Amino acid sequence: MKKIIFVFCFVLLMFLPVSAENGVKLSGPELSMEEKVYGLALLWKEAEYNFGFWDKKSFPSWDKAYREALPRVIETKTTYEYYKELQRFIYLLQDGHTDVWLPDDLYAFLPIKLEYVDGRYTVVKVAEEFSDKMPLLSCVTGINGMPAEKYLQRYIYPYCWRKPRHVVLRELQCNGKLGDRLKLETVIPGGRQGNVEVEYLSAADVSRKKILSIKPVLPSEKINDIYKSGSHNICMTEDNIAVITIPTFGNDKFREEYRKNLHLLKDTSGLIIDIRNNGGGSSANGYAVSRSLMHGNFVVGTIKNFTHIAYNNARGQALGYAVKTPDEALSSFTEKSAKEFYEEIYLSANRRYFMEKRSALIGNNDSPLILKQPVVVLTNEKTGSAAENLLLELDLNKRVTIVGTVTLGSTGQPLVGKLPGGGRYRICTQQWLYPDGREFVGKGIKPHIESYLSLDDYKNGRDSVMDKGLETLRNMLK
């Protein structure tokens, strides 16, 4: 029966009505069964042939996962339920650049924001109407009658690619169902307990509310602004240390503006590069920073991609390699050329484990200036993607020290496509590694010196991580 259902979906793929533009029919308020099956089959197919991490043994049987998801997808009653099942399916692959986005009109938001601080789910933003019962820096201890952690594990974790607390909280706050309500149990500053009910609202409704925020955290010493734009800020300490804050690499004005500002950095005694909360963008923007710190050509990482050769797959299946161990398959081939050839066939018959591997080289360094000062880079758990690509080569540079927390652990080149109903998907197509081959995707890049914001930092508006970075850099200058 399962095999019949599995084949049925591909028959549907052949006969579904599609748009001329992109091959996906965008339906009205709810989706037909054919559209729902098509969307799931599209995700299965694109991941099967393009996902970059099939050599990791912890991943599920993809065919089995598809068959298990199919009846759940067919039984969904609304487009929102359907997309949640697609998310549950794709997040089995546990990759931050492999995901499903809801159609824009299905996103709903809570009028609060939580951060995980000192082991507590802490309120850092809240609509004014809730501020009496849930003031800033309150702790959320329960959700809908369950301990907060248990609720998140049951209802939120299955729809997250990984389990960093900020990823889980973003899912809780920004990916709910319009009109649903959460009953929050809180402990407010001073120890008094409270209860607040909040509702998932449209982005427009949230924008009309007055939102209170905790005061920004600032370094203990005065730092003077010398440049500000949408792409980056530059500040200067009294002892001539430059602090460059780069909130994103998604702003393509960054490269030009940063290069024009290098003269401001040339004669400083040291550099702090703050990429906390920088979720990435274009790696080319990040490499503008790399180029300004290194002479000549340099390797920014190692890239691995799967290679699908249909003949090898067929030949390997015919030889029975799909059910043999590597030793069993290769033991009879002693000549090097034959062994390499049959190794390719063996790997091709086992979910295309045969991979191309190459170094990502930055050449033709066209930076107008090369900065030679000691450097401290500030990171946190929201530093990801293109910002992590920047860190790969800096981590190996002896004049660079990383201060902060382990980074997000996600980068790569995603394949992006449309889904029935107006949503989108991404499939990560390649593995990025350190230049020396070490893995960091799914793990994050560890700082040389750990430092993180505490609850006291938030209460006092103090940026202890910046303070630690300045202290570290000054020790490097001695």
Side-chain angles (χ1 to χ4, degrees):
M1 182 62 184
K2 288 183 177 179
K3 184 175 181 180
I4 294 173
I5 294 174
F6 194 72
V7 172
F8 172 63
C9 84
F10 290 100
V11 175
L12 287 173
L13 288 181
M14 298 173 62
F15 293 98
L16 279 176
V18 296
S19 70
E21 177 189 0
N22 54 48
V24 177
K25 176 178 175 288
L26 302 184
S27 73
E30 304 302 342
L31 300 173
S32 67
M33 184 189 69
E34 289 84 358
E35 289 174 304
K36 290 190 288 188
V37 172
Y38 172 83
L40 178 65
L42 180 64
L43 284 181
W44 175 87
K45 179 193 73 170
E46 296 293 11
E48 170 74 6
Y49 284 94
N50 296 298
F51 186 54
F53 293 88
W54 284 125
D55 58 330
K56 306 304 177 188
K57 305 303 182 185
S58 60
F59 288 127
S61 163
W62 198 227
D63 290 352
K64 182 174 182 286
Y66 174 88
R67 291 195 299 269
E68 291 174 349
L70 184 59
R72 296 198 306 266
V73 161
I74 291 173
E75 291 168 6
T76 56
K77 304 300 182 185
T78 66
T79 301
Y80 177 81
E81 292 177 4
Y82 169 69
Y83 268 88
K84 299 306 287 184
E85 286 299 336
L86 293 188
Q87 288 180 335
R88 184 198 294 265
F89 176 65
I90 204 67
Y91 289 145
L92 291 172
L93 300 183
Q94 295 288 286
D95 177 75
H97 281 61
T98 302
D99 48 23
V100 164
W101 303 339
L102 302 178
D104 290 345
D105 59 351
L106 290 184
Y107 276 102
F109 307 86
L110 294 176
I112 63 170
K113 182 179 180 182
L114 304 177
E115 294 279 4
Y116 192 70
V117 184
D118 285 351
R120 299 162 31 117
Y121 296 108
T122 303
V123 179
V124 296
K125 289 186 179 182
V126 62
E128 186 178 38
E129 64 197 85
F130 301 117
S131 61
D132 287 341
K133 294 183 178 180
M134 188 168 52
L136 293 168
L137 298 180
S138 295
C139 171
V140 173
T141 59
I143 305 174
N144 287 357
M146 302 172 63
E149 185 64 31
K150 186 175 181 180
Y151 178 90
L152 294 173
Q153 288 179 358
R154 179 175 297 182
Y155 296 107
I156 305 300
Y157 279 25
Y159 308 102
C160 294
W161 68 273
R162 199 169 153 237
K163 306 304 183 280
R165 290 304 201 289
H166 79 278
V167 174
V168 175
L169 291 178
R170 183 180 62 197
E171 177 71 26
L172 173 72
Q173 294 158 196
C174 305
N175 210 352
K177 183 180 179 183
L178 193 67
D180 276 1
R181 293 175 174 270
L182 296 182
K183 295 180 180 178
L184 306 179
E185 300 169 23
T186 63
V187 176
I188 69 174
R192 184 164 55 87
Q193 294 185 340
N195 292 280
V196 179
E197 187 172 88
V198 295
E199 181 180 352
Y200 282 102
L201 305 170
S202 68
D205 286 341
V206 172
S207 69
R208 285 190 282 267
K209 293 182 177 292
K210 183 176 181 180
I211 304 294
L212 306 179
S213 301
I214 60 172
K215 55 186 176 182
V217 293
L218 300 170
S220 299
E221 64 189 80
K222 184 179 180 181
I223 302 180
N224 300 308
D225 291 334
I226 62 172
Y227 176 83
K228 267 194 164 185
S229 79
S231 72
H232 69 294
N233 301 334
I234 301 176
C235 303
M236 200 73 68
T237 66
E238 296 296 329
D239 57 348
N240 200 35
I241 292 174
V243 177
I244 307 113
T245 302
I246 311 171
T248 178
F249 285 128
N251 187 332
D252 285 334
K253 293 181 179 179
F254 172 78
R255 273 174 284 178
E256 180 182 358
E257 293 179 352
Y258 177 77
R259 289 177 176 181
K260 285 182 177 179
N261 287 328
L262 286 174
H263 71 282
L264 300 174
L265 307 174
K266 180 182 178 183
D267 297 321
T268 59
S269 56
L271 305 172
I272 301 276
I273 301 175
D274 188 354
I275 52 174
R276 290 175 294 175
N277 306 315
N278 185 325
S282 170
S283 294
N285 292 327
Y287 296 152
V289 179
S290 306
R291 286 182 161 120
S292 72
L293 299 174
M294 301 182 186
H295 287 282
N297 301 338
F298 53 92
V299 176
V300 297
T302 300
I303 300 173
K304 293 168 68 175
N305 297 91
F306 284 104
T307 299
H308 176 67
I309 302 173
Y311 167 80
N312 285 357
N313 190 24
R315 183 64 176 155
Q317 293 286 348
L319 292 170
Y321 282 2
V323 295
K324 291 183 178 180
T325 68
D327 289 341
E328 289 171 342
L330 304 178
S331 60
S332 59
F333 301 103
T334 56
E335 295 183 15
K336 184 177 180 181
S337 59
K339 190 170 184 178
E340 289 176 351
F341 174 70
Y342 279 96
E343 182 178 22
E344 287 187 18
I345 290 180
Y346 170 76
L347 296 174
S348 294
N350 286 269
R351 199 181 285 281
R352 297 177 306 285
Y353 288 165
F354 178 58
M355 304 189 77
E356 294 179 334
K357 186 176 180 180
R358 66 188 187 279
S359 294
L361 178 70
I362 293 294
N364 187 25
N365 194 334
D366 57 355
S367 179
L369 283 173
I370 303 296
L371 305 172
K372 301 177 181 180
Q373 304 93 320
V375 178
V376 165
V377 183
L378 305 183
T379 65
N380 66 4
E381 68 281 358
K382 298 180 185 179
T383 301
S385 195
E388 289 181 296
N389 289 355
L390 167 65
L391 284 173
L392 290 185
E393 65 267 19
L394 297 185
D395 189 14
L396 303 177
N397 191 313
K398 292 182 179 180
R399 61 185 247 257
V400 176
T401 299
I402 301 173
V403 174
T405 61
V406 176
T407 61
L408 180 62
S410 175
T411 193
Q413 179 60 55
L415 170 73
V416 180
K418 295 182 179 180
L419 289 164
R424 290 176 177 269
Y425 67 85
R426 299 191 305 170
I427 305 292
C428 189
T429 62
Q430 64 184 15
Q431 294 184 31
W432 272 85
L433 304 98
Y434 272 91
D436 60 11
R438 283 180 292 141
E439 295 182 356
F440 73 94
V441 172
K443 302 176 182 179
I445 296 172
K446 293 182 179 179
H448 303 126
I449 299 174
E450 185 179 34
S451 183
Y452 57 90
L453 295 175
S454 67
L455 189 59
D456 283 341
D457 290 331
Y458 283 109
K459 287 178 180 178
N460 299 315
R462 182 182 68 241
D463 189 348
S464 65
V465 178
M466 180 65 75
D467 289 346
K468 187 66 175 179
L470 289 167
E471 175 192 338
T472 300
L473 185 56
R474 286 172 178 139
N475 288 333
M476 294 166 68
L477 293 170
K478 289 178 180 179

